[in-house]
Amino acid sequence: MTTQWNHYINGDFVAPSSGEFIHEFVPMTGLQGDQIARGSAADVDQAANSAAAVQPAWNARKPIERGRILLAIARLIRTNAAAFCAKEAEETGKPVKMAAFEIEACAQYFEYYGGLATAIQGETINLGPNYHAYTTREPFGVVGVILPWNSPLNQAGRAIAPALVSGNTVVVKPSEFTSITMLQLAEMAVKEAGLPAGVLNVITGTGKETGEPLVKHPLIRKVAFTGSVRAGKEIGKLAADRIIPLSLELGGKSPNIVFEDADLDRAVAGSVFAFTVNTGQVCLAGTRCLVHESIYQKFAKKLASAVEALQFSDGENFGLGPLTTKAQYEQVHAYTKLAIQEGAEQLVGGDVPSDKAGWYVRPTVFTNVNNSMRIAREEIFGPVLVLMPFKDEQEAVAIANDSEYGLAAGLWTSDLARAHRVAAQIEAGQVYVNEYPSGGVETPFGGFKQSGYGREKGLEALHHYTQTKTTIIRI
Ligand code: NAD
């Protein structure tokens, strides 16, 4: 039995104006799952109008009251975590225990930004005794949030919580592959946490039919996009046409550098996690592993054993899940084939597990790779790693920075001076030392170069969901 899910607009489930629905799929089996509403420009219009109608009243609330509602949402996410985890696991294919980490992160975004509600402040500027000048941080109005499928509620919380706490209202378009937990969260926020109807609306559907009308809608005053470079460019053009601010959280091909003075066992375990977590479907995945030539052979041997020892999850416990979409599964296979054509050698992985019905792949590591090959330059978004030696710090930095992307980088070293020296030279929005990934809801996150612009997380995100007004009074 599959369920049909409508949009969530103005505190109610609303049928799509087209009357049409789209099937999601269950990655563990490859079979059809629940259906979601196929959103159109008319549905987006209804949601944007609802969000705009209640925005002035939401913004007029005392910040401490907005914060209290966000804290209630955080509490309820935790109370209902088991249900959210089960649905998120069904939609994405990730093990339930892994989904639990992400649902907890979502709760933490509401908790963190709820707690910061009263800390959104301006400043006074001294222009001499005849003036009083000050700044205020004001919301944009209605924010459009467009999300991918790899960590649905985690990324939703990351964008929605700072947008709401700053006095904006929101229309979200989750990925057409993983929309349902977002609908459940919005309903819970309104029905149980006290969020006024219309402050958070969810429109489901495809990028072209639903996402584009959202970016183009005149009532949408800022867009927060997380997804591919391809879609980011399309959205960037639409946003440029309307001169609305945009934050782009895009992809990566992140370097993970292992120096000869690293704790080898920790570096191996961390490097495996860096490219296999969430079956490699993570924007910040460390997919280019650069290893000092003096430890390269030893590292490769240990890495191969560690990758071979990885187990598939039973759906509940930790382990590898399937890829979330069929297209992603096909893409990973196309890249592993391309790697061989380009002359790379497969150290481990490659074959398909024969006893699995869903979109499972084995983590695969390639050697004999140079940084100009496509498998070293393009984001694969699956558990595929290229291993490359380097001779000194300078060469490691040069290879690391020789990429169109700049989302994250890892360093493994026991030399603190080296850690700081290399971190300073890396072109990436995040540098992790001796852990990959690292950080929390408090640490700003975003990309250099083609990995995007703007920042989510931390205090910094609040600057992206507010605009500064300066008032100057002649006394
Ligand atoms: P995608 O770009 O295909 O889709 C993302 C979202 O954008 C979906 O909701 C989709 O429907 C919508 N969309 C697509 N085209 C659109 C258009 N023209 N106008 C408006 N909306 C449009 O990405 P995906 O396959 O869902 O996700 C994988 C990508 O996301 C990877 O590249 C990954 O690196 C990136 N990602 C980045 C981060 C980050 O924080 N930097 C986090 C997770 C994923």
Side-chain angles (χ1 to χ4, degrees):
M1 246 305 266
T2 63
T3 308
Q4 269 190 351
W5 292 82
N6 288 319
H7 304 302
Y8 194 73
I9 304 173
N10 204 24
D12 264 316
F13 282 104
V14 175
S17 53
S18 65
E20 290 178 30
F21 290 81
I22 311 170
H23 267 289
E24 286 192 353
F25 285 84
V26 179
M28 274 186 75
T29 59
L31 302 174
Q32 284 186 343
D34 286 356
Q35 296 180 61
I36 55 159
R38 184 170 189 156
S40 61
D43 301 339
V44 168
D45 185 53
Q46 193 183 347
N49 274 290
S50 300
V54 298
Q55 194 271 332
W58 175 243
N59 187 40
R61 289 267 189 111
K62 282 187 176 173
I64 205 164
E65 292 173 15
R66 283 200 297 271
R68 217 172 277 143
I69 292 175
L70 265 71
L71 293 173
I73 296 174
R75 208 163 38 245
L76 283 158
I77 291 172
R78 292 195 173 108
T79 310
N80 295 293
F84 281 123
C85 289
K87 197 68 190 171
E88 184 118 323
E90 179 190 309
E91 290 187 280
T92 60
K94 67 184 77 200
V96 172
K97 287 209 167 137
M98 171 80 193
F101 268 97
E102 304 203 1
I103 303 302
E104 169 55 25
C106 180
Q108 286 184 19
Y109 284 118
F110 283 95
E111 189 170 42
Y112 175 73
Y113 287 108
L116 283 173
T118 50
I120 303 173
Q121 294 174 348
E123 51 191 9
T124 55
I125 298 155
N126 189 347
L127 294 179
N130 295 330
Y131 292 92
H132 176 49
Y134 60 93
T135 61
T136 39
R137 292 207 155 267
E138 299 193 358
F140 287 101
V142 186
V143 172
V145 174
I146 302 181
L147 298 168
W149 43 258
N150 56 326
S151 295
L153 277 195
N154 182 341
Q155 286 147 349
R158 188 173 86 178
I160 294 167
L164 292 182
V165 82
S166 323
N168 300 285
T169 54
V170 170
V171 179
V172 194
K173 194 207 85 65
S175 166
E176 55 272 41
F177 302 105
T178 56
S179 291
I180 296 165
T181 49
M182 186 64 241
L183 291 161
Q184 292 173 322
L185 176 68
E187 186 194 21
M188 187 199 76
V190 173
K191 292 278 181 299
E192 295 177 53
L195 191 71
V199 171
L200 176 59
N201 308 274
V202 185
I203 296 285
T204 60
T206 65
K208 275 270 166 257
E209 294 170 349
T210 321
E212 276 196 20
L214 183 63
V215 182
K216 284 181 182 164
H217 198 285
L219 290 173
I220 300 295
R221 305 289 291 275
K222 180 216 152 68
V223 170
F225 173 74
T226 307
S228 64
V229 171
R230 175 202 59 77
K233 284 182 181 172
E234 288 171 13
I235 290 169
K237 285 175 193 153
L238 298 175
D241 239 18
R242 295 195 48 227
I243 316 195
I244 54 167
L246 173 68
S247 48
L248 294 176
E249 295 284 354
L250 309 177
K253 191 77 186 178
S254 298
N256 180 36
I257 308 172
V258 184
F259 289 101
E260 65 279 17
D261 56 16
D263 175 328
L264 203 59
D265 288 334
R266 290 186 64 154
V268 167
S271 302
V272 171
F273 189 77
F275 89 99
T276 57
V277 61
N278 205 32
T279 316
Q281 301 165 116
V282 184
C283 52
L284 52 73
T287 49
R288 288 187 296 143
C289 190
L290 316 180
V291 184
H292 189 261
E293 59 187 13
S294 66
I295 56 164
Y296 182 81
Q297 294 302 342
K298 198 169 165 194
F299 183 90
K301 211 167 151 208
K302 278 179 176 270
L303 183 88
S305 315
V307 171
E308 256 163 3
L310 293 172
Q311 301 286 326
F312 288 110
S313 167
D314 57 2
E316 184 68 33
N317 292 298
F318 284 111
L320 294 161
L323 294 163
T324 297
T325 71
K326 186 159 184 261
Q328 200 53 42
Y329 176 76
E330 284 162 0
Q331 173 160 312
V332 170
H333 284 296
Y335 272 107
T336 47
K337 224 167 117 185
L338 173 73
I340 302 294
Q341 285 164 6
E342 287 189 302
E345 281 167 29
Q346 191 178 296
L347 180 68
V348 61
D351 53 334
V352 184
S354 54
D355 58 334
K356 300 271 178 207
W359 300 314
Y360 289 85
V361 293
R362 285 196 199 282
T364 303
V365 180
F366 289 105
T367 57
N368 201 27
V369 175
N370 68 61
N371 203 49
S372 58
M373 291 180 178
R374 282 181 60 197
I375 50 155
R377 304 201 74 79
E378 296 174 18
E379 184 185 51
I380 299 173
F381 220 55
V384 182
L385 180 73
V386 295
L387 206 55
M388 289 179 277
F390 65 85
K391 63 176 187 303
D392 56 23
E393 232 175 78
Q394 206 186 351
E395 191 184 34
V397 170
I399 299 172
N401 287 344
D402 178 18
S403 171
E404 290 184 346
Y405 292 108
L407 191 57
L411 307 179
W412 299 85
T413 177
S414 54
D415 179 343
L416 196 56
R418 167 178 268 168
H420 283 293
R421 191 167 59 236
V422 176
Q425 296 174 72
I426 294 287
E427 295 169 354
Q430 289 71 222
V431 180
Y432 312 124
V433 181
N434 294 334
E435 186 170 65
Y436 198 125
S438 199
V441 298
E442 308 86 342
T443 48
F445 183 87
F448 282 23
K449 302 194 272 188
Q450 297 255 317
S451 293
Y453 50 74
R455 290 292 177 270
E456 299 283 11
K457 301 170 63 171
L459 285 173
E460 181 123 357
L462 292 173
H463 295 288
H464 295 275
Y465 290 99
T466 53
Q467 49 194 341
T468 302
K469 178 184 281 175
T470 309
T471 305
I472 304 141
I473 303 173
R474 167 87 204 195
I475 297 170

